[in-house]
Amino acid sequence: MDVDTATSAVQTPNKHPVPEVEIYCYLLVLIFLIDQKRYDEAKACSSASIARLKNINRRTVDILASRLYFYYSYSYELTNNLAEIRGDLLALHRMATLRRDELGQETLLNLLLRNYLHYNLYDQAEKLRSKAPRFEAHSNQQFCRYLFYLGKIRTIQLEYTDAKESLLQAARKAPVAAQGFRIQCNKWAIIVRLLLGEIPERTVFMQKGMKKALTPYFELTNAVRIGDLELFKSVADKFSSTFSSDRTQNLIVRLRHNVIRTGLRNISISYSRISLSDIAKKLRLDSPNPVADAESIVAKAIRDGAIDATIDHANGWMISKETGDVYSTNEPQFAFNTRIVFCLNMHNEAVKALRFPPNSHKEKESDEKRRERQQQEQEIAKHMAEEDDDDF
């Protein structure tokens, strides 16, 4: 019988390629579709890749899987369908936890926080963040994103001190090339510092490549610093579209009280005695009963310790007390303590970030000890050779 050797020599290709190559091809196609702005096709491709990825349990795929998770969420975000994949992201996070895929857990936790914050679900985001397992960060980029989302959550929860620390740390740790991310961190950090009663330095707004993006916040800071309520309103109206796109509009509404308090503090320093009606005029209060509002604002500022003054209700005056020596109070101690704590935390983070070569803790061998060891090795080898000759 004639045998067709040509057809038998042809090897049938493998039905399933190597999983790493398959996932990498999915990733390349997905990035290409997003670059070409074919978002619907990218969404379908990402869903198919995630369905395939669920059936692969190999640690060599973890890094590629973390990138695939990001583009999976990004493709749905571009089509404004982030809510559809929230359940899938939670299932993937649970799967990554069971497989001890820590890089996948970091990525998916950030994607879930971004998903919740996109729809202003801050309470759910905080519940997830507080209950999710924590471990040492493996990716600096993911850690920066986590700090940024944590700062936004803390800001909405009125925990401004923790929010400021997280946002500034995220801006410091972010790569220089990630300019858009650093701009967002600085925008939120500026608002938080204003809410804390601090005035950011001018150098914050003059950073390279950020001056134009931070111009609305620079004018807002100037209005808060002066304490001019009318200027504050005009700036808020002028850049309302910018603040809305940055999702800081609600925070700027909170700043109105800080503007009034700053203006009141300037008035108390300038005047030893001033009527409540003049205070209302200088603060430009546009309420139906400005004198009563000015009286309640002054009373609250005195109670909170913002100003050192008293109210003469009979005559309708605010009487400021003489300013004492600040160095006779505990203010310098608190300021130095804040700086010392900041430096100690930075030192601890630097020590944690150090990388040591293996066995570096062991004492290095001196030249004399090395010669003694080599001599002992030669004597042992010579002795063993003599024993071999005797046996022979």
Side-chain angles (χ1 to χ4, degrees):
M1 297 177 61
D2 295 335
V3 179
D4 190 0
T5 57
T7 56
S8 62
V10 178
Q11 295 180 356
T12 58
N14 292 330
K15 188 176 181 180
H16 295 291
V18 179
E20 291 82 0
V21 176
E22 184 180 0
I23 297 301
Y24 184 62
C25 291
Y26 269 120
L27 184 60
L28 290 178
V29 173
L30 184 55
I31 295 174
F32 173 77
L33 292 174
I34 292 176
D35 288 342
Q36 296 297 318
K37 297 184 179 180
R38 295 154 62 179
Y39 300 137
D40 293 331
E41 297 178 27
K43 188 169 70 171
C45 177
S46 64
S47 300
S49 63
I50 292 298
R52 178 72 181 101
L53 188 62
K54 290 180 180 178
N55 299 323
I56 301 174
N57 185 10
R58 300 178 67 167
R59 300 284 68 79
T60 51
V61 186
D62 289 347
I63 297 178
L64 293 173
S66 65
R67 301 303 301 161
L68 202 59
Y69 295 147
F70 170 77
Y71 285 106
Y72 173 56
S73 176
Y74 186 51
S75 62
Y76 274 82
E77 183 177 353
L78 291 173
T79 55
N80 199 19
N81 294 318
L82 266 180
E84 295 180 8
I85 62 169
R86 192 177 301 153
D88 293 333
L89 291 177
L90 288 168
L92 289 170
H93 185 270
R94 182 168 60 251
M95 182 181 69
T97 305
L98 295 174
R99 293 178 178 179
R100 299 186 182 278
D101 177 12
E102 294 186 351
L103 182 59
Q105 291 180 63
E106 279 185 339
T107 306
L108 289 165
L109 178 60
N110 285 333
L111 293 176
L112 283 165
L113 292 177
R114 183 181 182 87
N115 197 308
Y116 284 124
L117 297 183
H118 183 77
Y119 295 100
N120 296 325
L121 302 174
Y122 288 92
D123 292 337
Q124 296 185 28
E126 173 58 19
K127 289 178 182 178
L128 173 67
R129 187 208 64 81
S130 61
K131 295 181 180 179
R134 295 297 304 152
F135 39 80
E136 185 179 356
H138 292 267
S139 171
N140 181 60
Q141 289 83 354
Q142 296 298 333
F143 185 53
C144 290
R145 289 172 182 164
Y146 174 78
L147 289 173
F148 176 61
Y149 298 144
L150 178 60
K152 292 178 73 172
I153 293 171
R154 291 285 183 260
T155 303
I156 298 301
Q157 294 178 338
L158 307 180
E159 299 177 9
Y160 298 134
T161 304
D162 295 339
K164 172 191 168 185
E165 183 178 352
S166 298
L167 292 168
L168 292 179
Q169 191 176 2
R172 273 198 314 272
K173 288 180 174 290
V176 179
Q179 191 170 4
F181 177 80
R182 291 170 58 231
I183 288 174
Q184 287 297 320
C185 289
N186 279 285
K187 286 179 179 179
W188 279 75
I190 289 167
I191 296 294
V192 170
R193 293 183 66 180
L194 291 175
L195 289 169
L196 282 170
E198 303 176 6
I199 302 298
E201 300 81 6
R202 183 180 288 268
T203 54
V204 174
F205 305 95
M206 301 301 170
Q207 298 180 60
K208 185 178 180 181
M210 299 187 188
K211 184 177 180 180
K212 183 178 179 181
L214 296 180
T215 298
Y217 294 87
F218 175 72
E219 295 191 17
L220 188 71
T221 302
N222 188 41
V224 175
R225 182 181 60 84
I226 297 173
D228 190 341
L229 192 59
E230 195 68 27
L231 179 61
F232 173 77
K233 290 179 180 178
S234 64
V235 171
D237 294 337
K238 180 181 178 182
F239 299 104
S240 59
S241 59
T242 303
F243 297 143
S244 299
S245 62
D246 294 337
R247 298 197 170 193
T248 55
Q249 187 72 39
N250 293 334
L251 301 178
I252 290 169
V253 173
R254 298 182 190 177
L255 277 175
R256 182 179 181 275
H257 179 68
N258 292 60
V259 176
I260 293 174
R261 179 172 291 188
T262 303
L264 184 60
R265 190 184 299 116
N266 294 335
I267 292 172
S268 67
I269 293 172
S270 302
Y271 297 90
S272 60
R273 187 178 66 179
I274 185 172
S275 65
L276 295 175
S277 59
D278 290 339
I279 292 176
K281 291 179 183 178
K282 289 183 177 296
L283 293 178
R284 299 181 183 179
L285 300 178
D286 53 358
S287 58
N289 192 356
V291 177
D293 288 345
E295 186 175 359
S296 63
I297 290 170
V298 171
K300 190 174 186 304
I302 294 173
R303 186 191 65 184
D304 295 341
I307 60 174
D308 191 7
T310 57
I311 299 178
D312 187 352
H313 295 281
N315 298 317
W317 292 337
M318 182 188 77
I319 302 173
S320 302
K321 297 181 180 178
E322 295 183 3
T323 56
D325 185 11
V326 70
Y327 290 99
S328 63
T329 63
N330 293 329
E331 289 296 328
Q333 178 185 352
F334 294 147
F336 278 118
N337 182 63
T338 304
R339 297 179 184 180
I340 291 170
V341 169
F342 174 76
C343 293
L344 289 175
N345 290 335
M346 182 176 291
H347 174 266
N348 293 336
E349 290 177 6
V351 171
K352 290 178 182 178
L354 291 176
R355 295 291 183 267
F356 298 97
N359 299 326
S360 62
H361 62 282
K362 295 182 179 179
E363 185 180 357
K364 291 185 178 180
E365 189 178 25
S366 62
D367 295 339
E368 185 178 355
K369 290 183 179 180
R370 185 173 64 255
R371 285 194 296 269
E372 291 179 358
R373 180 176 54 78
Q374 292 176 353
Q375 185 177 0
Q376 290 177 359
E377 291 175 354
Q378 292 175 359
E379 291 177 356
I380 292 173
K382 184 179 180 181
H383 182 64
M384 291 176 64
E386 291 176 353
E387 288 182 353
D388 293 339
D389 292 340
D390 293 341
D391 293 338
F392 180 73

